[in-house]
Amino acid sequence: MGANEEPIFLRSNAIIEPLVDGFYAWLYTVAPVQAAMNLAFLQVPLLESFLRNPQVHVAAVNNPALRGGYFVGIAEERKDEVAALLESIKRDRADMLTFAAAVAEGEELLRQNATGFDLTPLYPKLPAALNGLVELAYDTNNQPSMHYLEPLVYHSPVYDEGRQSVQLSLEDGVERPFILSTPRLPQPGVLDLSLPFRHPGLEELFRARTKPTTAARLREALELDDAGARQLGSLLDTRPSLAEDRHIDAGGRVRYFGHACLVLQTPEAAIVTDPFISADNRHGDRYTLDDLPDFIDLVLITHGHQDHIVLETMLQLRGRVGSVVVPRSSRGNLADPNIGLYLKHLGLPVTEVDDFDEVPFPGGKVTATPFLGEHSDLDIRGKSTYWVELAGKSVFIGADSSGIDPVLYRYIRNHLGTADMAFLGMECDGAPLTWLYQALLTKPVTKKMSDSRKLSGSNAAQAGDILVELGAREAYIYAMGEESWQGHVMATTYTEDTYQLKQIDEFLGWCRDRGIPAEHLLNKREWRW
């Protein structure tokens, strides 16, 4: 047997970064309407700003106080490469840039002319790039809006799979650049694959985490030349590194994998929530991709933020997932891209749910439950919490939802009963509206207005109200970007005096006073019964 025919596996610490035009890919840079807006009104201006004054960007990136800011973390001596990237975007993504400008023009047309009367005369006045892709409508308060026909936009020039590529490398322990601001340029030791995310060769590669393949087969599947094949070799091993205890043979188990990721298991089934999983198995202080069960019946996505639907993890689950359960969006709202459409175009099986829809799995079921708050008061319906029943326990998956109206949770309890375990996020002083949504705002907002509308979950009082209304017997608070392997996505910095941590301490004290077991989670935790 030749070397190219020996059974091989993908190394545990292989990192897969999905990119669009060099920028790290997430929902709002892949879903076509939102991607066009972010490209035109965030990424292009960001690159232009860097080229005007790279020293400012480099200094800002190296300033801990500005962590998570929109600065390009690329050395000044590579500015010619950044200029080439910008030129290629303006040349090759002209349809997207035209569409984004048309969105802004169309929204202004509505603001100036939709005064409660018939909207029909406005259609001929719309920019040509919007023709056939939008519908104009009023709500019952006579407020006009433009609805985007998303399935059609995916089949228009605005959605271009040629933007997509993947970088493969090995985890080196160095924190990656913040994902929303710095494009990835070619680097030594990094394999660039100019393949769309749904390419079958990527599924063949990711399957090699659990099932053997050969170097020859991977070379053909990934369409590699000799140099690419040699580079790929450094990412492969002759042995798998799967954890022996990744399955269970009796009872139930919940494992905390960091951030908002849980793996709930019985001998018959496995459920994963918001997969955001480390590839680095050298430390022993975390569960990694090695610890995932071979087959996952359901992946539950709570909402579309970049730390809850993490594309680099999701792509690696393709081929080993029964279905990805996602909240149904509001259909055509600019701020609310359809998560189901997004994942289907990436080759993943999808089940869309509304509040109180049930999804069965062997030995249990998942019920979608409402999600309040956390989205800067934007009209976003693509968000859901979940109630999981397995092995005799009921588990509430609260994600970043807020207790701003605790009566909601009374309705959940009346419908589903009391929760044995409740998992909540308490990022109660989140980023302002413009940090994530600036590119979608076709009408400027003041800083004061933006700062008042934050991406915040529950504070101590609200978390307590949720627990009371659910009758929850145990409470667990997610780490909020505190895990060391999440800095490129979270870019959070906390001290012991940080408001969020003080609120968590207050909530834990509230639980102690009432005899409710409660913890602030970090890195890893396991529950068995």
Side-chain angles (χ1 to χ4, degrees):
M1 180 184 295
N4 284 341
E5 300 300 330
E6 293 178 358
I8 52 89
F9 296 85
L10 183 63
R11 288 186 184 274
S12 171
N13 61 334
I15 297 174
I16 289 86
E17 287 206 325
L19 307 177
V20 284
D21 289 321
F23 285 90
Y24 191 97
W26 70 290
L27 174 62
Y28 278 38
T29 63
V30 177
V33 176
Q34 295 73 23
M37 299 296 283
N38 273 276
L39 186 67
F41 301 122
L42 175 65
Q43 292 169 339
V44 165
L46 189 63
L47 296 180
E48 290 174 335
S49 172
F50 172 81
L51 291 173
R52 283 194 300 271
N53 201 336
Q55 299 95 335
V56 169
H57 283 257
V58 172
V61 167
N62 292 321
N63 183 347
L66 298 177
R67 191 176 188 219
Y70 283 87
F71 304 100
V72 175
I74 294 175
E76 182 177 358
E77 55 265 28
R78 302 193 72 179
K79 64 182 294 186
D80 288 348
E81 294 174 73
V82 176
L85 173 61
L86 178 60
E87 181 183 358
S88 70
I89 288 173
K90 290 182 175 181
R91 179 187 65 243
D92 300 334
R93 312 301 173 222
D95 286 330
M96 293 182 69
L97 299 175
T98 298
F99 183 83
V103 168
E105 184 180 340
E107 297 274 2
E108 183 61 23
L109 178 73
L110 276 185
R111 280 192 289 270
Q112 296 297 325
N113 297 280
T115 57
F117 294 92
D118 179 20
L119 293 172
T120 303
L122 297 185
Y123 279 87
K125 299 179 181 179
L126 287 170
L130 300 182
N131 292 160
L133 298 176
V134 301
E135 182 179 20
L136 310 181
Y138 291 113
D139 65 16
T140 54
N141 292 314
N142 257 352
Q143 297 298 311
S145 61
M146 193 154 55
H147 297 168
Y148 302 86
L149 307 179
E150 281 188 87
L152 303 188
V153 186
Y154 272 97
H155 291 280
S156 79
V158 181
Y159 184 66
D160 183 359
E161 287 187 339
R163 304 180 68 217
Q164 300 173 5
S165 64
V166 174
Q167 281 194 343
L168 305 178
S169 59
L170 289 176
E171 171 65 60
D172 60 6
V174 177
E175 183 175 307
R176 290 182 266 170
F178 176 52
I179 64 168
L180 298 185
S181 62
T182 298
R184 281 20 177 184
L185 299 179
Q187 299 281 359
V190 175
L191 175 59
D192 289 280
L193 299 178
S194 296
L195 301 174
F197 301 146
R198 62 179 178 85
H199 193 281
L202 294 176
E203 186 169 331
E204 176 74 19
L205 174 67
F206 303 146
R207 189 183 296 119
R209 285 199 183 276
T210 58
K211 296 179 180 179
T213 185
T214 66
R217 184 170 176 177
L218 281 180
R219 175 174 180 165
E220 180 180 2
L222 296 172
E223 305 173 27
L224 298 175
D225 58 17
D226 289 345
R230 286 193 295 272
Q231 247 183 319
L232 179 66
S234 66
L235 304 172
L236 305 176
D237 201 346
T238 56
R239 294 176 299 174
S241 55
L242 300 172
E244 293 184 0
D245 63 348
R246 64 190 186 279
H247 303 116
I248 61 173
D249 55 16
R253 179 171 76 182
V254 177
R255 279 180 163 179
Y256 176 66
F257 274 58
H259 200 52
C261 181
L262 301 169
V263 176
L264 304 93
Q265 288 178 270
T266 67
E268 297 79 29
I271 312 297
V272 179
T273 71
D274 290 344
F276 186 179
I277 302 173
S278 174
D280 193 349
N281 65 357
R282 296 172 296 177
H283 306 281
D285 63 346
R286 68 195 70 166
Y287 296 118
T288 71
L289 292 165
D290 292 346
D291 298 286
L292 281 178
D294 293 349
F295 181 77
I296 298 163
D297 294 80
L298 299 174
V299 170
L300 309 181
I301 299 298
T302 60
H303 59 298
H305 288 160
Q306 72 279 6
D307 55 325
H308 289 263
I309 180 167
V310 181
L311 188 52
E312 72 174 88
T313 304
M314 293 299 300
L315 286 178
Q316 296 186 72
L317 300 184
R318 204 169 76 202
R320 57 192 288 195
V321 171
S323 189
V324 183
V325 179
V326 303
R328 197 181 305 277
S329 75
S330 56
R331 294 193 64 184
N333 181 342
L334 181 58
D336 194 16
N338 188 306
I339 298 173
L341 268 177
Y342 165 66
L343 293 177
K344 287 175 185 176
H345 279 268
L346 303 180
L348 287 153
V350 172
T351 301
E352 289 188 297
V353 291
D354 291 308
D355 293 340
F356 291 141
D357 281 351
E358 296 180 358
V359 182
F361 59 86
K365 68 177 180 180
V366 171
T367 304
T369 45
F371 183 136
L372 282 184
E374 212 259 337
H375 287 67
S376 300
D377 298 325
L378 291 170
D379 183 18
I380 292 177
R381 300 293 91 216
K383 53 183 182 176
S384 180
T385 59
Y386 295 97
W387 187 279
V388 183
E389 298 175 43
L390 81 168
K393 283 192 180 291
S394 297
V395 182
F396 177 66
I397 311 298
D400 296 332
S401 58
S402 173
I404 49 178
D405 187 353
V407 176
L408 164 68
Y409 301 92
R410 192 178 308 164
Y411 279 99
I412 294 175
R413 179 177 179 175
N414 290 341
H415 187 73
L416 295 169
T418 56
D420 294 294
M421 307 170 75
F423 291 87
L424 301 171
M426 284 185 62
E427 174 50 83
C428 49
D429 187 24
L433 165 70
T434 53
W435 183 75
L436 201 59
Y437 299 110
Q438 175 69 55
L440 305 183
L441 302 176
T442 60
K443 182 179 180 180
V445 299
T446 65
K447 184 178 186 303
K448 186 175 182 180
M449 186 182 295
S450 174
D451 288 347
S452 77
R453 294 167 56 184
K454 293 192 172 182
L455 292 155
S456 295
S458 293
N459 60 24
Q462 292 165 342
D465 287 342
I466 292 174
L467 234 59
V468 168
E469 296 296 347
L470 290 180
R473 297 179 177 89
E474 301 173 23
Y476 300 98
I477 306 304
Y478 304 123
M480 300 174 300
E482 298 166 273
E483 282 99 0
S484 61
W485 65 91
Q486 298 174 356
H488 64 293
V489 173
M490 300 301 298
T492 49
T493 302
Y494 299 113
T495 70
E496 60 182 16
D497 294 322
T498 298
Y499 173 72
Q500 295 94 318
L501 298 187
K502 285 185 172 296
Q503 284 292 293
I504 291 173
D505 288 342
E506 182 178 327
F507 173 71
L508 296 178
W510 181 92
C511 290
R512 281 194 301 272
D513 292 343
R514 288 157 180 78
I516 300 172
E519 293 179 36
H520 178 197
L521 301 173
L522 181 69
N523 289 345
K524 65 186 291 188
R525 174 77 154 84
E526 179 181 282
W527 300 262
R528 286 295 301 263
W529 66 92

